[in-house]
Amino acid sequence: SWGALVRPALLDPTGPEFEQVASVFYEETKRLYGDDLRFFSGDPFHEGGNVAGVDLAAAGQAIQKAMQAQFTDAVWVLQGWQDNPKPKLLEKLDRSHVLVQELFGENTANWESRKAYEGTPFIWATVTNFGERPGVNGKLQRFADEVNRAATGEYAQYMKGVGILPEGIYNNPVAYDLVLELPWHADRVDVSEWIRNYAASRYGSEDARIDQAWQIFLGTIYDSNIGYQEGPPENILCARPSFEIRSVSSWGRLAKKYDRERFAEGVRIFASAYRDFESVETYRIDLINLLRQVIANRADTVYADVMAAYDRKDRKAFATETKRFLALHDLENDLLAQHPFFRVDTYQKQALEVGRTPAESDNNLYNLMMLITFWGGNNPAEDNLHDYAYKEWSGMMTSYYKERWKLWFSYLRGQLEGREPDAPEYFYWEREWSEDNRRIIDSTSDTSLAEILVKMGY
């Protein structure tokens, strides 16, 4: 299994049935898409799987042979992730018809440690985002430096391009814009210079305040020296409550390994241009996203105060701090409501519109609500996919995350009052919430962005 999901069976490529089944598959592919296809993706043992009894070298050779029997120029695309593609799988392949995607360039350099995957063409790529989780992140200068190293170093002959492989792209445009521009630069890119042109292009004109803010962001939240991370640092307001919270999603993290005060100062400077750029949609979206991150950072401190009051058994302070913490959900909800990009009803309406029948629309809506909440199966013992694709959207902040936190605070309050309340059953509560919200959630706010800036001290 993988998480709560059962892996599909794999037909042994060296067995007598494989060539026959592959022939049918590729014939149908031709019928549907034509015979001029070139790139075929498929990773037999991505993130594990059972390789017992499989001759990997022979298996790889058989897969490629069947592919090229129908598509002579076919290139087999494999993901460079963890220990994949395994060296043995590559051993007997025609490497000129293989392309490895160096998947995790923000953290690893497998293209280098494996000597261009034992002499296989590759592209340098970055994931940057997992589950399209919200957050501001990207090791921008590392992106530029690693692409330059790969393109000019010992394995340059195997370096065939640059790519992005995010699990969602509705965030962090600067990261994707930079990476996809890098192939057009012959020399190493100094991102502190590049960002000036980027900002002028994104917001329509140059502005000294915006330039200053972006330089601060490069040295804080977009710093290349903040260590290993899978996607952006997460927001505790959206976490499933417990006594020890290290992340929202199972493989994420809450820790913000940069100077948060310095980052907040950068946001203050960026926000100071609001009156001149409030009608520029890209500026408005970025401002909301940056302010959202400031709220997330503040929430870490407030939650620490909540738990400190609980540990002291100070009921009055506990009541005060929990009120402050829940108020941050309201503040962020009002902030996110300022643009359809950050509103849950935007995506709910899309889900409904692509349905061809009422039943299909309803199912689409349920799938959306499931994917951004619990996602996984119905076995509480295998529950590591919850919040994997969580979203900070207005409507969600108050109806889902805030309500889940209220369950926890009620439980803690009961303990402080000397009672023995039952701990919240989030597993079942989350599923009931998703089932009950097969409807458009109110994602609006009566508060303006200008008023929110004042509330936040900007």
Side-chain angles (χ1 to χ4, degrees), residues 136-160:
V136 182
N137 80 298
K139 301 175 181 178
L140 302 187
Q141 190 59 60
R142 174 185 168 87
F143 296 169
D145 291 347
E146 286 294 285
V147 167
N148 181 255
R149 281 203 320 119
T152 60
E154 182 179 358
Y155 307 109
Q157 63 177 309
Y158 301 105
M159 162 74 158
K160 300 302 179 182

Side-chain angles (χ1 to χ4, degrees), residues 278-327:
E278 62 178 313
S279 63
V280 178
E281 188 171 25
T282 45
Y283 172 85
R284 194 177 183 90
I285 288 173
D286 287 356
L287 177 60
I288 292 169
N289 200 24
L290 291 164
L291 292 170
R292 179 208 56 73
Q293 188 64 54
V294 170
I295 294 172
N297 293 357
R298 289 179 183 178
D300 291 336
T301 301
V302 177
Y303 185 64
D305 293 339
V306 169
M307 295 312 296
Y310 173 82
D311 290 340
R312 295 193 311 269
K313 297 183 172 23
D314 186 336
R315 290 163 59 180
K316 183 177 180 180
F318 179 80
T320 299
E321 299 304 335
T322 55
K323 185 176 180 180
R324 286 178 61 210
F325 188 79
L326 295 173

Side-chain angles (χ1 to χ4, degrees), residues 344 347-348 351 363-372 393:
V344 68
Y347 305 99
Q348 289 183 308
N363 190 58
N364 289 346
L365 183 57
Y366 177 68
N367 280 334
L368 167 65
M369 306 317 290
M370 175 187 70
L371 285 168
I372 63 177
W393 289 337

Side-chain angles (χ1 to χ4, degrees), residues 43-230:
D43 292 81
F45 303 105
H46 184 67
E47 290 196 356
N50 183 5
V51 300
V54 179
D55 182 335
L56 286 179
Q61 188 177 45
I63 291 171
Q64 188 177 59
K65 178 183 175 183
M67 189 183 296
Q68 292 184 330
Q70 299 286 343
F71 296 89
T72 307
D73 295 326
V75 175
W76 187 6
V77 182
L78 294 161
Q79 296 181 88
W81 175 255
Q82 297 175 355
D83 65 344
N84 281 338
K86 294 175 174 61
K88 202 73 176 173
L89 187 73
L90 299 173
E91 192 174 273
K92 294 183 179 180
L93 298 184
D94 176 354
R95 306 292 178 87
S96 68
H97 286 266
V98 179
L99 181 65
V100 177
Q101 300 170 328
E102 167 80 16
L103 214 69
F104 206 24
E106 60 262 46
N107 288 307
T108 62
N110 290 343
W111 63 269
E112 183 175 42
S113 62
R114 288 189 54 179
K115 300 180 180 180
Y117 294 94
E118 298 79 47
T120 307
F122 70 91
I123 64 169
W124 187 95
T126 171
V127 179
T128 302
N129 182 275
F130 292 78
E132 201 179 80
R133 296 196 288 272
V136 182
N137 80 298
K139 301 175 181 178
L140 302 187
Q141 190 59 60
R142 174 185 168 87
F143 296 169
D145 291 347
E146 286 294 285
V147 167
N148 181 255
R149 281 203 320 119
T152 60
E154 182 179 358
Y155 307 109
Q157 63 177 309
Y158 301 105
M159 162 74 158
K160 300 302 179 182
V162 172
I164 58 171
L165 295 156
E167 293 183 354
I169 199 172
Y170 271 29
N171 47 37
N172 265 320
V174 65
Y176 310 130
D177 284 352
L178 171 63
V179 172
L180 295 179
E181 186 182 313
L182 291 174
W184 303 99
H185 292 265
D187 301 319
R188 172 186 177 273
V189 171
D190 182 342
V191 177
S192 65
E193 294 295 325
W194 177 89
I195 204 72
R196 291 187 172 90
N197 289 328
Y198 169 82
S201 173
R202 182 158 175 79
Y203 309 125
S205 62
E206 295 182 2
D207 186 272
R209 294 162 297 182
I210 290 176
D211 286 345
Q212 183 184 0
W214 269 106
Q215 293 301 321
I216 293 173
F217 301 152
L218 289 180
T220 53
I221 204 160
Y222 286 110
D223 192 356
S224 295
N225 301 306
I226 60 176
Y228 181 92
Q229 63 179 26
E230 295 189 15

Side-chain angles (χ1 to χ4, degrees), residues 237-241 326 329 366 369-370 372-375 377-378 380 383 386-387 395-410 422-437 439 441:
L237 293 173
C238 304
R240 182 189 276 184
L326 295 173
H329 288 88
Y366 177 68
M369 306 317 290
M370 175 187 70
I372 63 177
T373 54
F374 68 88
W375 192 351
N378 290 313
D383 190 30
H386 74 83
D387 296 303
M396 289 292 293
M397 294 305 300
T398 47
S399 73
Y400 184 72
Y401 302 118
K402 181 181 179 181
E403 292 302 313
R404 190 165 62 175
W405 273 104
K406 285 167 71 174
L407 293 175
W408 175 246
F409 291 150
S410 177
D422 293 332
E425 288 278 5
Y426 302 121
F427 182 89
Y428 299 104
W429 182 87
E430 291 158 0
R431 282 155 178 74
E432 289 174 7
W433 185 91
S434 297
E435 185 68 47
D436 292 343
N437 279 278
R439 58 180 176 78
I441 295 175

